[in-house]
Amino acid sequence: MKLPGHDAIARQAGEHLVTQGVKLPRKVVERPIRQVAKRLLMALFVLVATALVVYADHDGYHDNADGSVDLLDAFYYATVTLSTTGYGDITPVSDGARLTNIFVITPLRVLFLIILVGTTLEVLTERTREEWRVNRWRSALRDHTVVIGFGTKGRSAIQTICATGLKKEQAVVVDPSAKAVDAATAEGYAGVIGDATRSDVLKRAEVHKARQIIVAPQRDDTAVLVTLTARQLNRTAKIVAAVREEENAPLLRQSGADAVITSASAAGRLLGLSVLSPAAGMVMEDLIQQGSGLDLVERPVVRGEVGKRARETDDLVVSVLRGHRVLGYDDPAVGTLQLTDRLITIVRASPGTRGTPGIRPLPRG
């Protein structure tokens, strides 16, 4: 496999450097442009109202230019008054006009300033609040799951692990596309925009404190570089990576991946199986689809099953996980089940199999 050159990697990183950052899920609010437009309309309304008040009592005002105050003069007076400029060329001279300035014009001036200054204060407050949320999120994040790439594979992977009981607050998505990260935050996940081959981007996702990392980019060479970088930052996390071509799987394992899923060959085998036996293909597709029909789950051995053989349990046992070895149900080395074993079984999908302690559906390829 040919990896991209240093110049290509640097160029790709430079393209995303501007948009890198952390985005947390948030409630749906009005778009900023709409908020600003609404405030401008409110300010314009106050300005027009003030001008009409002045014009209604224009006889109580004096214009140094010609002595009278018309509608244009009323708008001019309202503008310089609300903006606290106050040139003094138009002044209230009657008692009624002065009382109107005290009880009507002055409150309108204050309201006008609150509308304009409030927009700036709200922006600064929102920025401070968002920065505080990010800092609190960083300090509280521990043993989380990082999903690199929010395409079809990454989205399916994170949905599968969340179906087992993982809270969305414990999942972080990393993707160079701002649209993909926006989609992730819309679903309730935290997101980091940037090139995951860069260590500073992975540090924003707190990869060094993660328990498991799912690498699912669009390209195999990117998957290799991401795996290398992630393993360098976190020596203990479980890294599962996806590749398109089977010939690149050994390279990913050498880069530090604990498990490698070959998407192209898996899809090809499913296609071939469906041709040879449509019914068998349907069963495999049923197993791949999370939460419907049949599910593949991993569970511990209960005390009532200790001493029995794998075929003597109530569930359909596929494999036995003993230590770091995965043994087939018919492997002579299995013998009888032990309390420390874990069973990989096929069960009927039901709400009771989700989120149950010790029982977790296996990730889909």
Side-chain angles (χ1 to χ4, degrees):
M1 181 185 68
K2 184 179 179 180
L3 297 179
H6 180 272
D7 294 340
I9 299 173
R11 183 170 61 254
Q12 184 182 12
E15 292 174 353
H16 302 303
L17 187 59
V18 180
T19 57
Q20 288 173 1
V22 176
K23 301 186 71 173
L24 300 181
R26 56 186 304 173
K27 296 180 180 179
V28 178
V29 296
E30 283 187 311
R31 298 175 61 182
I33 187 66
R34 181 173 297 179
Q35 293 185 18
V36 173
K38 184 182 293 185
R39 290 179 181 272
L40 289 177
L41 289 175
M42 293 172 62
L44 181 61
F45 174 78
V46 173
L47 177 64
V48 172
T50 304
L52 294 177
V53 169
V54 173
Y55 183 72
D57 192 23
H58 63 277
D59 292 336
Y61 291 82
H62 176 75
D63 186 358
N64 293 335
D66 55 11
S68 62
V69 176
D70 56 16
L71 184 60
L72 178 60
D73 294 330
F75 272 96
Y76 168 75
Y77 176 78
T79 301
V80 298
T81 300
L82 293 180
S83 62
T84 67
T85 304
Y87 292 114
D89 47 354
I90 300 178
T91 57
V93 293
S94 67
D95 292 341
R98 290 177 177 178
L99 287 173
T100 302
N101 264 262
I102 294 173
F103 295 107
V104 179
I105 304 299
T106 298
L108 288 175
R109 181 189 299 119
V110 174
L111 178 61
F112 185 82
L113 293 176
I114 288 175
I115 292 173
L116 295 185
V117 177
T119 302
T120 303
L121 292 177
E122 183 176 354
V123 171
L124 294 176
T125 303
E126 179 64 24
R127 183 177 300 177
T128 303
R129 185 188 301 115
E130 190 66 20
E131 188 173 326
W132 177 77
R133 286 184 66 211
V134 170
N135 291 333
R136 187 180 64 172
W137 169 77
R138 290 184 185 280
S139 61
L141 201 60
R142 292 287 188 282
D143 296 332
H144 57 290
T145 299
V146 177
V147 179
I148 300 170
F150 199 64
T152 302
K153 293 179 291 187
R155 187 189 300 265
S156 299
I158 197 171
Q159 289 174 349
T160 299
I161 58 178
C162 284
T164 68
L166 179 73
K167 296 181 179 180
K168 290 186 176 182
E169 294 80 5
Q170 286 295 106
V172 182
V173 172
V174 181
D175 199 285
S177 170
K179 291 183 178 180
V181 173
D182 287 341
T185 55
E187 295 184 20
Y189 310 111
V192 175
I193 305 172
D195 182 4
T197 62
R198 296 173 57 90
S199 59
D200 59 327
V201 174
L202 293 183
K203 287 179 181 178
R204 289 192 183 100
E206 302 293 317
V207 163
H208 53 286
K209 297 187 294 185
R211 174 180 294 179
Q212 47 200 13
I213 303 169
I214 298 174
V215 182
Q218 298 296 325
R219 295 167 55 93
D220 287 2
D221 50 6
T222 304
V224 172
L225 293 175
V226 170
T227 303
L228 282 169
T229 308
R231 181 54 75 194
Q232 183 181 19
L233 295 174
N234 193 326
R235 298 291 182 181
T236 60
K238 181 179 181 180
I239 299 180
V240 179
V243 292
R244 292 178 179 272
E245 303 298 332
E246 193 167 1
E247 62 182 10
N248 297 327
L251 186 57
L252 263 170
R253 292 190 179 92
Q254 294 175 13
S255 301
D258 297 294
V260 179
I261 307 299
T262 308
S263 57
S265 62
R269 284 194 291 269
L270 182 58
L271 287 172
L273 180 62
S274 298
V275 170
L276 296 175
S277 174
M282 291 177 60
V283 172
M284 288 300 300
E285 186 178 1
D286 188 13
L287 287 171
I288 292 174
Q289 293 179 355
Q290 177 67 38
S292 62
L294 300 175
D295 266 351
L296 200 62
V297 303
E298 177 185 332
R299 68 169 179 82
V301 173
V302 298
R303 292 190 178 275
E305 296 172 335
V306 175
K308 295 182 178 180
R309 297 187 176 275
R311 292 184 175 181
E312 296 175 351
T313 62
D314 294 333
D315 294 335
L316 180 59
V317 177
V318 178
S319 299
V320 177
L321 179 61
R322 179 168 295 168
H324 296 286
R325 295 187 303 163
V326 179
L327 305 174
Y329 72 94
D330 56 349
D331 193 324
V334 173
T336 58
L337 297 178
Q338 304 173 10
L339 189 60
T340 55
D341 291 340
R342 296 187 67 87
L343 303 179
I344 299 176
T345 67
I346 296 177
V347 299
R348 176 65 60 182
S350 63
T353 61
R354 295 187 179 187
T356 305
I359 299 179
R360 54 177 183 267
L362 297 180
R364 303 314 196 201

PDB file of all heavy atoms in Angstrom, residues 77-107:
ATOM      1  N   TYR A  77     -33.886  64.170  15.213  1.00  0.00           N
ATOM      2  CA  TYR A  77     -33.782  64.363  16.650  1.00  0.00           C
ATOM      3  C   TYR A  77     -33.787  63.018  17.385  1.00  0.00           C
ATOM      4  O   TYR A  77     -33.032  62.797  18.329  1.00  0.00           O
ATOM      5  CB  TYR A  77     -34.931  65.235  17.148  1.00  0.00           C
ATOM      6  CG  TYR A  77     -34.959  65.406  18.642  1.00  0.00           C
ATOM      7  CD1 TYR A  77     -34.090  66.286  19.280  1.00  0.00           C
ATOM      8  CD2 TYR A  77     -35.866  64.681  19.427  1.00  0.00           C
ATOM      9  CE1 TYR A  77     -34.116  66.432  20.665  1.00  0.00           C
ATOM     10  CE2 TYR A  77     -35.898  64.822  20.800  1.00  0.00           C
ATOM     11  CZ  TYR A  77     -35.017  65.705  21.411  1.00  0.00           C
ATOM     12  OH  TYR A  77     -35.032  65.843  22.779  1.00  0.00           O
ATOM     13  N   ALA A  78     -34.669  62.103  16.924  1.00  0.00           N
ATOM     14  CA  ALA A  78     -34.742  60.781  17.559  1.00  0.00           C
ATOM     15  C   ALA A  78     -33.421  60.027  17.390  1.00  0.00           C
ATOM     16  O   ALA A  78     -32.955  59.354  18.322  1.00  0.00           O
ATOM     17  CB  ALA A  78     -35.892  59.975  16.956  1.00  0.00           C
ATOM     18  N   THR A  79     -32.797  60.148  16.225  1.00  0.00           N
ATOM     19  CA  THR A  79     -31.542  59.428  15.965  1.00  0.00           C
ATOM     20  C   THR A  79     -30.422  59.939  16.864  1.00  0.00           C
ATOM     21  O   THR A  79     -29.726  59.150  17.514  1.00  0.00           O
ATOM     22  CB  THR A  79     -31.140  59.585  14.493  1.00  0.00           C
ATOM     23  OG1 THR A  79     -32.180  59.076  13.661  1.00  0.00           O
ATOM     24  CG2 THR A  79     -29.851  58.823  14.203  1.00  0.00           C
ATOM     25  N   VAL A  80     -30.221  61.251  16.898  1.00  0.00           N
ATOM     26  CA  VAL A  80     -29.114  61.796  17.700  1.00  0.00           C
ATOM     27  C   VAL A  80     -29.385  61.669  19.186  1.00  0.00           C
ATOM     28  O   VAL A  80     -28.461  61.594  20.001  1.00  0.00           O
ATOM     29  CB  VAL A  80     -28.839  63.276  17.326  1.00  0.00           C
ATOM     30  CG1 VAL A  80     -28.412  63.383  15.865  1.00  0.00           C
ATOM     31  CG2 VAL A  80     -30.060  64.142  17.602  1.00  0.00           C
ATOM     32  N   THR A  81     -30.671  61.620  19.569  1.00  0.00           N
ATOM     33  CA  THR A  81     -30.999  61.477  20.984  1.00  0.00           C
ATOM     34  C   THR A  81     -30.799  60.044  21.463  1.00  0.00           C
ATOM     35  O   THR A  81     -30.187  59.798  22.510  1.00  0.00           O
ATOM     36  CB  THR A  81     -32.458  61.910  21.240  1.00  0.00           C
ATOM     37  OG1 THR A  81     -32.618  63.280  20.859  1.00  0.00           O
ATOM     38  CG2 THR A  81     -32.817  61.771  22.710  1.00  0.00           C
ATOM     39  N   LEU A  82     -31.316  59.063  20.713  1.00  0.00           N
ATOM     40  CA  LEU A  82     -31.183  57.658  21.122  1.00  0.00           C
ATOM     41  C   LEU A  82     -29.728  57.202  21.098  1.00  0.00           C
ATOM     42  O   LEU A  82     -29.326  56.352  21.901  1.00  0.00           O
ATOM     43  CB  LEU A  82     -32.033  56.767  20.208  1.00  0.00           C
ATOM     44  CG  LEU A  82     -33.556  56.945  20.315  1.00  0.00           C
ATOM     45  CD1 LEU A  82     -34.263  55.997  19.364  1.00  0.00           C
ATOM     46  CD2 LEU A  82     -34.039  56.721  21.739  1.00  0.00           C
ATOM     47  N   SER A  83     -28.948  57.748  20.175  1.00  0.00           N
ATOM     48  CA  SER A  83     -27.531  57.376  20.118  1.00  0.00           C
ATOM     49  C   SER A  83     -26.686  58.178  21.091  1.00  0.00           C
ATOM     50  O   SER A  83     -25.457  58.040  21.111  1.00  0.00           O
ATOM     51  CB  SER A  83     -26.999  57.575  18.702  1.00  0.00           C
ATOM     52  OG  SER A  83     -27.080  58.943  18.318  1.00  0.00           O
ATOM     53  N   THR A  84     -27.315  59.023  21.904  1.00  0.00           N
ATOM     54  CA  THR A  84     -26.679  59.881  22.922  1.00  0.00           C
ATOM     55  C   THR A  84     -25.683  60.849  22.302  1.00  0.00           C
ATOM     56  O   THR A  84     -24.759  61.308  22.980  1.00  0.00           O
ATOM     57  CB  THR A  84     -25.967  59.029  24.005  1.00  0.00           C
ATOM     58  OG1 THR A  84     -24.853  58.360  23.426  1.00  0.00           O
ATOM     59  CG2 THR A  84     -26.911  58.015  24.628  1.00  0.00           C
ATOM     60  N   THR A  85     -25.861  61.161  21.022  1.00  0.00           N
ATOM     61  CA  THR A  85     -24.970  62.138  20.392  1.00  0.00           C
ATOM     62  C   THR A  85     -25.322  63.544  20.867  1.00  0.00           C
ATOM     63  O   THR A  85     -24.473  64.282  21.363  1.00  0.00           O
ATOM     64  CB  THR A  85     -25.085  62.049  18.857  1.00  0.00           C
ATOM     65  OG1 THR A  85     -24.810  60.715  18.456  1.00  0.00           O
ATOM     66  CG2 THR A  85     -24.109  63.004  18.196  1.00  0.00           C
ATOM     67  N   GLY A  86     -26.605  63.952  20.686  1.00  0.00           N
ATOM     68  CA  GLY A  86     -27.107  65.207  21.240  1.00  0.00           C
ATOM     69  C   GLY A  86     -26.393  66.455  20.768  1.00  0.00           C
ATOM     70  O   GLY A  86     -25.672  67.097  21.533  1.00  0.00           O
ATOM     71  N   TYR A  87     -26.620  66.841  19.499  1.00  0.00           N
ATOM     72  CA  TYR A  87     -25.971  68.045  18.980  1.00  0.00           C
ATOM     73  C   TYR A  87     -26.561  69.320  19.586  1.00  0.00           C
ATOM     74  O   TYR A  87     -25.900  70.355  19.631  1.00  0.00           O
ATOM     75  CB  TYR A  87     -26.101  68.106  17.448  1.00  0.00           C
ATOM     76  CG  TYR A  87     -25.316  67.025  16.752  1.00  0.00           C
ATOM     77  CD1 TYR A  87     -25.974  66.024  16.040  1.00  0.00           C
ATOM     78  CD2 TYR A  87     -23.927  67.003  16.808  1.00  0.00           C
ATOM     79  CE1 TYR A  87     -25.257  65.022  15.403  1.00  0.00           C
ATOM     80  CE2 TYR A  87     -23.203  66.009  16.175  1.00  0.00           C
ATOM     81  CZ  TYR A  87     -23.877  65.022  15.467  1.00  0.00           C
ATOM     82  OH  TYR A  87     -23.157  64.047  14.838  1.00  0.00           O
ATOM     83  N   GLY A  88     -27.791  69.299  19.999  1.00  0.00           N
ATOM     84  CA  GLY A  88     -28.403  70.473  20.611  1.00  0.00           C
ATOM     85  C   GLY A  88     -29.014  71.439  19.630  1.00  0.00           C
ATOM     86  O   GLY A  88     -29.475  72.523  20.040  1.00  0.00           O
ATOM     87  N   ASP A  89     -29.043  71.097  18.344  1.00  0.00           N
ATOM     88  CA  ASP A  89     -29.640  72.004  17.366  1.00  0.00           C
ATOM     89  C   ASP A  89     -31.160  71.956  17.399  1.00  0.00           C
ATOM     90  O   ASP A  89     -31.831  72.900  16.976  1.00  0.00           O
ATOM     91  CB  ASP A  89     -29.134  71.693  15.949  1.00  0.00           C
ATOM     92  CG  ASP A  89     -29.188  70.211  15.632  1.00  0.00           C
ATOM     93  OD1 ASP A  89     -29.514  69.426  16.540  1.00  0.00           O
ATOM     94  OD2 ASP A  89     -28.892  69.832  14.474  1.00  0.00           O
ATOM     95  N   ILE A  90     -31.737  70.835  17.873  1.00  0.00           N
ATOM     96  CA  ILE A  90     -33.175  70.725  18.090  1.00  0.00           C
ATOM     97  C   ILE A  90     -33.386  70.441  19.570  1.00  0.00           C
ATOM     98  O   ILE A  90     -32.868  69.452  20.099  1.00  0.00           O
ATOM     99  CB  ILE A  90     -33.807  69.626  17.233  1.00  0.00           C
ATOM    100  CG1 ILE A  90     -33.597  69.908  15.738  1.00  0.00           C
ATOM    101  CG2 ILE A  90     -35.289  69.485  17.544  1.00  0.00           C
ATOM    102  CD1 ILE A  90     -34.140  68.852  14.825  1.00  0.00           C
ATOM    103  N   THR A  91     -34.131  71.304  20.248  1.00  0.00           N
ATOM    104  CA  THR A  91     -34.289  71.169  21.698  1.00  0.00           C
ATOM    105  C   THR A  91     -35.754  71.324  22.076  1.00  0.00           C
ATOM    106  O   THR A  91     -36.509  72.064  21.430  1.00  0.00           O
ATOM    107  CB  THR A  91     -33.478  72.253  22.435  1.00  0.00           C
ATOM    108  OG1 THR A  91     -33.905  73.552  21.969  1.00  0.00           O
ATOM    109  CG2 THR A  91     -31.996  72.074  22.200  1.00  0.00           C
ATOM    110  N   PRO A  92     -36.181  70.607  23.153  1.00  0.00           N
ATOM    111  CA  PRO A  92     -37.541  70.802  23.667  1.00  0.00           C
ATOM    112  C   PRO A  92     -37.609  72.122  24.444  1.00  0.00           C
ATOM    113  O   PRO A  92     -36.778  72.381  25.318  1.00  0.00           O
ATOM    114  CB  PRO A  92     -37.754  69.595  24.573  1.00  0.00           C
ATOM    115  CG  PRO A  92     -36.379  69.199  24.997  1.00  0.00           C
ATOM    116  CD  PRO A  92     -35.464  69.552  23.877  1.00  0.00           C
ATOM    117  N   VAL A  93     -38.585  72.944  24.120  1.00  0.00           N
ATOM    118  CA  VAL A  93     -38.694  74.253  24.781  1.00  0.00           C
ATOM    119  C   VAL A  93     -39.929  74.367  25.646  1.00  0.00           C
ATOM    120  O   VAL A  93     -39.952  75.118  26.625  1.00  0.00           O
ATOM    121  CB  VAL A  93     -38.676  75.388  23.725  1.00  0.00           C
ATOM    122  CG1 VAL A  93     -37.313  75.450  23.049  1.00  0.00           C
ATOM    123  CG2 VAL A  93     -39.785  75.190  22.682  1.00  0.00           C
ATOM    124  N   SER A  94     -40.992  73.608  25.309  1.00  0.00           N
ATOM    125  CA  SER A  94     -42.217  73.684  26.108  1.00  0.00           C
ATOM    126  C   SER A  94     -42.150  72.701  27.267  1.00  0.00           C
ATOM    127  O   SER A  94     -41.361  71.739  27.257  1.00  0.00           O
ATOM    128  CB  SER A  94     -43.443  73.377  25.246  1.00  0.00           C
ATOM    129  OG  SER A  94     -43.442  72.018  24.827  1.00  0.00           O
ATOM    130  N   ASP A  95     -42.975  72.951  28.281  1.00  0.00           N
ATOM    131  CA  ASP A  95     -43.005  72.047  29.440  1.00  0.00           C
ATOM    132  C   ASP A  95     -43.472  70.650  29.041  1.00  0.00           C
ATOM    133  O   ASP A  95     -42.950  69.643  29.539  1.00  0.00           O
ATOM    134  CB  ASP A  95     -43.941  72.620  30.510  1.00  0.00           C
ATOM    135  CG  ASP A  95     -43.389  73.892  31.134  1.00  0.00           C
ATOM    136  OD1 ASP A  95     -42.163  74.110  30.998  1.00  0.00           O
ATOM    137  OD2 ASP A  95     -44.175  74.646  31.718  1.00  0.00           O
ATOM    138  N   GLY A  96     -44.475  70.580  28.122  1.00  0.00           N
ATOM    139  CA  GLY A  96     -44.970  69.268  27.696  1.00  0.00           C
ATOM    140  C   GLY A  96     -43.906  68.467  26.972  1.00  0.00           C
ATOM    141  O   GLY A  96     -43.763  67.250  27.185  1.00  0.00           O
ATOM    142  N   ALA A  97     -43.119  69.133  26.122  1.00  0.00           N
ATOM    143  CA  ALA A  97     -42.054  68.436  25.398  1.00  0.00           C
ATOM    144  C   ALA A  97     -40.970  67.959  26.337  1.00  0.00           C
ATOM    145  O   ALA A  97     -40.402  66.880  26.178  1.00  0.00           O
ATOM    146  CB  ALA A  97     -41.471  69.363  24.338  1.00  0.00           C
ATOM    147  N   ARG A  98     -40.668  68.764  27.351  1.00  0.00           N
ATOM    148  CA  ARG A  98     -39.636  68.364  28.315  1.00  0.00           C
ATOM    149  C   ARG A  98     -40.120  67.185  29.175  1.00  0.00           C
ATOM    150  O   ARG A  98     -39.334  66.287  29.497  1.00  0.00           O
ATOM    151  CB  ARG A  98     -39.267  69.558  29.184  1.00  0.00           C
ATOM    152  CG  ARG A  98     -38.498  70.624  28.396  1.00  0.00           C
ATOM    153  CD  ARG A  98     -38.180  71.843  29.228  1.00  0.00           C
ATOM    154  NE  ARG A  98     -37.389  72.804  28.450  1.00  0.00           N
ATOM    155  CZ  ARG A  98     -37.000  73.990  28.897  1.00  0.00           C
ATOM    156  NH1 ARG A  98     -37.332  74.371  30.122  1.00  0.00           N
ATOM    157  NH2 ARG A  98     -36.287  74.785  28.116  1.00  0.00           N
ATOM    158  N   LEU A  99     -41.392  67.216  29.567  1.00  0.00           N
ATOM    159  CA  LEU A  99     -41.931  66.082  30.319  1.00  0.00           C
ATOM    160  C   LEU A  99     -41.932  64.813  29.459  1.00  0.00           C
ATOM    161  O   LEU A  99     -41.649  63.703  29.963  1.00  0.00           O
ATOM    162  CB  LEU A  99     -43.358  66.395  30.792  1.00  0.00           C
ATOM    163  CG  LEU A  99     -43.481  67.404  31.940  1.00  0.00           C
ATOM    164  CD1 LEU A  99     -44.941  67.749  32.188  1.00  0.00           C
ATOM    165  CD2 LEU A  99     -42.840  66.849  33.207  1.00  0.00           C
ATOM    166  N   THR A 100     -42.250  64.975  28.189  1.00  0.00           N
ATOM    167  CA  THR A 100     -42.207  63.823  27.276  1.00  0.00           C
ATOM    168  C   THR A 100     -40.796  63.269  27.178  1.00  0.00           C
ATOM    169  O   THR A 100     -40.587  62.052  27.138  1.00  0.00           O
ATOM    170  CB  THR A 100     -42.706  64.226  25.881  1.00  0.00           C
ATOM    171  OG1 THR A 100     -44.040  64.740  25.987  1.00  0.00           O
ATOM    172  CG2 THR A 100     -42.688  63.032  24.931  1.00  0.00           C
ATOM    173  N   ASN A 101     -39.787  64.138  27.151  1.00  0.00           N
ATOM    174  CA  ASN A 101     -38.395  63.688  27.115  1.00  0.00           C
ATOM    175  C   ASN A 101     -38.026  62.936  28.381  1.00  0.00           C
ATOM    176  O   ASN A 101     -37.282  61.961  28.336  1.00  0.00           O
ATOM    177  CB  ASN A 101     -37.460  64.890  26.938  1.00  0.00           C
ATOM    178  CG  ASN A 101     -37.080  65.113  25.484  1.00  0.00           C
ATOM    179  OD1 ASN A 101     -36.019  64.696  25.039  1.00  0.00           O
ATOM    180  ND2 ASN A 101     -37.990  65.738  24.737  1.00  0.00           N
ATOM    181  N   ILE A 102     -38.555  63.389  29.507  1.00  0.00           N
ATOM    182  CA  ILE A 102     -38.209  62.740  30.781  1.00  0.00           C
ATOM    183  C   ILE A 102     -38.834  61.348  30.881  1.00  0.00           C
ATOM    184  O   ILE A 102     -38.159  60.368  31.218  1.00  0.00           O
ATOM    185  CB  ILE A 102     -38.660  63.624  31.962  1.00  0.00           C
ATOM    186  CG1 ILE A 102     -37.851  64.926  31.983  1.00  0.00           C
ATOM    187  CG2 ILE A 102     -38.484  62.863  33.284  1.00  0.00           C
ATOM    188  CD1 ILE A 102     -38.344  65.925  33.023  1.00  0.00           C
ATOM    189  N   PHE A 103     -40.136  61.280  30.587  1.00  0.00           N
ATOM    190  CA  PHE A 103     -40.858  60.041  30.863  1.00  0.00           C
ATOM    191  C   PHE A 103     -40.999  59.110  29.651  1.00  0.00           C
ATOM    192  O   PHE A 103     -41.335  57.943  29.813  1.00  0.00           O
ATOM    193  CB  PHE A 103     -42.261  60.377  31.395  1.00  0.00           C
ATOM    194  CG  PHE A 103     -42.247  61.063  32.708  1.00  0.00           C
ATOM    195  CD1 PHE A 103     -42.545  62.417  32.802  1.00  0.00           C
ATOM    196  CD2 PHE A 103     -41.914  60.382  33.869  1.00  0.00           C
ATOM    197  CE1 PHE A 103     -42.533  63.068  34.030  1.00  0.00           C
ATOM    198  CE2 PHE A 103     -41.899  61.020  35.096  1.00  0.00           C
ATOM    199  CZ  PHE A 103     -42.204  62.376  35.184  1.00  0.00           C
ATOM    200  N   VAL A 104     -40.748  59.588  28.444  1.00  0.00           N
ATOM    201  CA  VAL A 104     -40.910  58.751  27.252  1.00  0.00           C
ATOM    202  C   VAL A 104     -39.601  58.611  26.481  1.00  0.00           C
ATOM    203  O   VAL A 104     -39.132  57.492  26.241  1.00  0.00           O
ATOM    204  CB  VAL A 104     -42.006  59.331  26.321  1.00  0.00           C
ATOM    205  CG1 VAL A 104     -42.143  58.463  25.071  1.00  0.00           C
ATOM    206  CG2 VAL A 104     -43.331  59.438  27.050  1.00  0.00           C
ATOM    207  N   ILE A 105     -39.001  59.748  26.108  1.00  0.00           N
ATOM    208  CA  ILE A 105     -37.794  59.693  25.271  1.00  0.00           C
ATOM    209  C   ILE A 105     -36.636  59.037  26.018  1.00  0.00           C
ATOM    210  O   ILE A 105     -35.915  58.191  25.450  1.00  0.00           O
ATOM    211  CB  ILE A 105     -37.400  61.089  24.787  1.00  0.00           C
ATOM    212  CG1 ILE A 105     -38.568  61.755  24.051  1.00  0.00           C
ATOM    213  CG2 ILE A 105     -36.169  61.019  23.889  1.00  0.00           C
ATOM    214  CD1 ILE A 105     -39.014  61.002  22.822  1.00  0.00           C
ATOM    215  N   THR A 106     -36.422  59.401  27.272  1.00  0.00           N
ATOM    216  CA  THR A 106     -35.299  58.826  28.024  1.00  0.00           C
ATOM    217  C   THR A 106     -35.435  57.321  28.211  1.00  0.00           C
ATOM    218  O   THR A 106     -34.468  56.572  27.977  1.00  0.00           O
ATOM    219  CB  THR A 106     -35.166  59.522  29.396  1.00  0.00           C
ATOM    220  OG1 THR A 106     -34.896  60.918  29.184  1.00  0.00           O
ATOM    221  CG2 THR A 106     -34.025  58.921  30.203  1.00  0.00           C
ATOM    222  N   PRO A 107     -36.611  56.774  28.612  1.00  0.00           N
ATOM    223  CA  PRO A 107     -36.737  55.307  28.664  1.00  0.00           C
ATOM    224  C   PRO A 107     -36.520  54.648  27.310  1.00  0.00           C
ATOM    225  O   PRO A 107     -35.914  53.567  27.237  1.00  0.00           O
ATOM    226  CB  PRO A 107     -38.168  55.100  29.167  1.00  0.00           C
ATOM    227  CG  PRO A 107     -38.492  56.330  29.935  1.00  0.00           C
ATOM    228  CD  PRO A 107     -37.808  57.431  29.202  1.00  0.00           C
TER     229      PRO A 107
END
